[in-house]
Amino acid sequence: MANNMRYFIGNWKMFGVPKSINILDKINTFTNFNKRFNKNYKIIITPPFTLIESFAKRFKNKSIFIGGQNCYHKDSFGSNTGSISPFMLKKIGATYVIIGHSDNRAEGDTAKMLKNKVIGSLNNNLKIVFCIGENKKEKKKKLTYKVLRNQLTKVLEKKFNYNNIIIAYEPIWSIGTGKIPKSEDLKKISKFIKKILKGIFKTKKPPKVLYGGSVDGSNIASFKSLKEIDGFLIGGASKSSKKFIDIIKNYYR
Ligand code: 13P
């Protein structure tokens, strides 16, 4: 049984309509029935922008936090068609925001843009889930550590409030593929990420490091023994209350 605080973040990506709030109602009921677990984990759901306000209203002061999946790289208002700024996210009740997801990096997010997104989000008191991860080719060429170091050092700076930053290690080859890293690799990689973070922020208590990529109710057991992993960023399995609850149940079983 893990005693440290763990994060279970459900990233819905392009999924959800207003009635999908049922999924959160069920998860909320589960956590209320399991008060003994409450001190041990935090649930965050990042629905699409269209649902943030209604979800955040319903779950204000409850056991589920709501976040955005991305934000624009300027922090308030601007003439940027189709964009949502950190200021706008904060105003509708988001408390977290994912930045640097590989989906968005693939669509053109550069390190400079990501840095501006982080700055804008911190300025608006949002907590950040900053995603990093190597692709299949980079893994094959043994470039994982180099890629991760670059992704961290090109965006994060000592002056940032690292108490409001969480790192999610999401190897691209594991997202939606059913493949997860070997435990010993994940252990080494998460230790490496924490070492880099200690260096950037000059602290002994670096940001939390989560794992994301094909996490489900069956493979979650294999992560239990990895004390270096502070939680999970869950895609596909977060769109069903049963699958999401199974992950939490089986993690603490
Ligand atoms: P899957 O859990 O569907 O692999 O997605 C992971 C992810 O990208 C979460 O942000």
Side-chain angles (χ1 to χ4, degrees):
M1 171 87 178
N3 289 315
N4 292 335
M5 232 280 285
R6 294 289 184 252
Y7 289 84
F8 293 89
I9 307 183
N11 177 16
W12 279 13
K13 307 187 185 181
M14 197 169 74
F15 165 82
V17 289
K19 77 168 194 252
S20 314
I21 201 163
N22 292 340
I23 298 170
L24 271 67
D25 284 334
K26 288 180 189 151
I27 295 170
N28 188 52
T29 306
F30 163 78
T31 51
N32 286 341
F33 275 128
N34 287 274
K35 284 272 190 237
R36 71 198 164 97
F37 284 158
N38 273 358
K39 64 182 186 321
N40 287 329
Y41 66 84
K42 194 172 253 186
I43 294 177
I44 302 154
I45 299 290
T46 62
F49 292 134
T50 48
L51 302 175
I52 291 175
E53 185 169 16
S54 56
F55 283 19
K57 258 192 198 136
R58 172 89 68 102
F59 294 97
K60 204 171 177 205
N61 305 324
K62 294 221 170 72
S63 52
I64 300 176
F65 296 84
I66 305 299
Q69 298 173 11
N70 194 4
C71 61
Y72 195 63
H73 54 91
K74 288 181 197 160
D75 75 347
S76 53
F77 291 148
S79 57
N80 304 93
T81 306
S83 303
I84 309 283
S85 65
F87 174 77
M88 291 155 76
L89 283 179
K90 183 71 186 180
K91 286 289 174 195
I92 57 168
T95 45
Y96 286 81
V97 61
I98 294 176
I99 292 176
H101 193 282
S102 56
D103 290 343
N104 307 121
R105 289 180 190 262
E107 285 166 350
D109 271 12
T110 62
K112 188 162 181 265
M113 284 161 69
L114 296 176
K115 191 189 278 267
N116 286 333
K117 290 182 185 200
V118 171
I119 294 170
S121 299
L122 290 173
N123 286 345
N124 283 283
N125 286 321
L126 289 165
K127 293 187 197 300
I128 289 159
V129 181
F130 182 61
C131 299
I132 57 172
E134 82 285 6
N135 64 29
K136 198 172 159 188
K137 206 165 151 194
E138 290 160 341
K139 176 177 160 60
K140 223 173 159 187
K141 287 186 168 173
K142 303 204 181 323
L143 292 172
T144 299
Y145 290 86
K146 191 174 172 211
V147 168
L148 299 179
R149 178 188 281 115
N150 272 336
Q151 288 174 337
L152 290 166
T153 54
K154 287 198 169 152
V155 174
L156 303 177
E157 287 186 38
K158 183 177 181 293
K159 66 177 186 203
F160 295 168
N161 179 2
Y162 60 84
N163 293 319
N164 285 346
I165 298 176
I166 297 167
I167 306 299
Y169 169 57
E170 293 208 306
I172 298 167
W173 51 269
S174 79
I175 298 175
T177 59
K179 294 190 178 121
I180 57 168
K182 288 187 198 128
S183 281
E184 66 261 33
D185 289 348
L186 193 51
K187 192 178 176 118
K188 274 190 219 149
I189 290 170
S190 46
K191 276 189 176 164
F192 172 79
I193 293 170
K194 287 192 181 179
K195 194 179 92 189
I196 299 287
L197 293 170
K198 282 180 186 167
I200 295 173
F201 296 117
K202 307 275 178 274
T203 177
K204 286 197 173 95
K205 285 192 90 186
K208 304 278 185 201
V209 175
L210 318 185
Y211 168 74
S214 295
V215 173
D216 64 27
S218 332
N219 63 28
I220 190 71
S222 66
F223 297 101
K224 274 197 221 180
S225 60
L226 290 173
K227 62 176 189 333
E228 295 80 9
I229 296 291
D230 301 296
F232 305 92
L233 182 53
I234 301 149
S238 70
K239 296 184 282 188
S240 137
S241 55
K242 184 181 179 311
K243 287 184 182 170
F244 192 72
I245 290 168
D246 276 352
I247 290 174
I248 300 173
K249 271 191 194 160
N250 293 345
Y251 185 76
Y252 288 103
R253 178 161 287 164

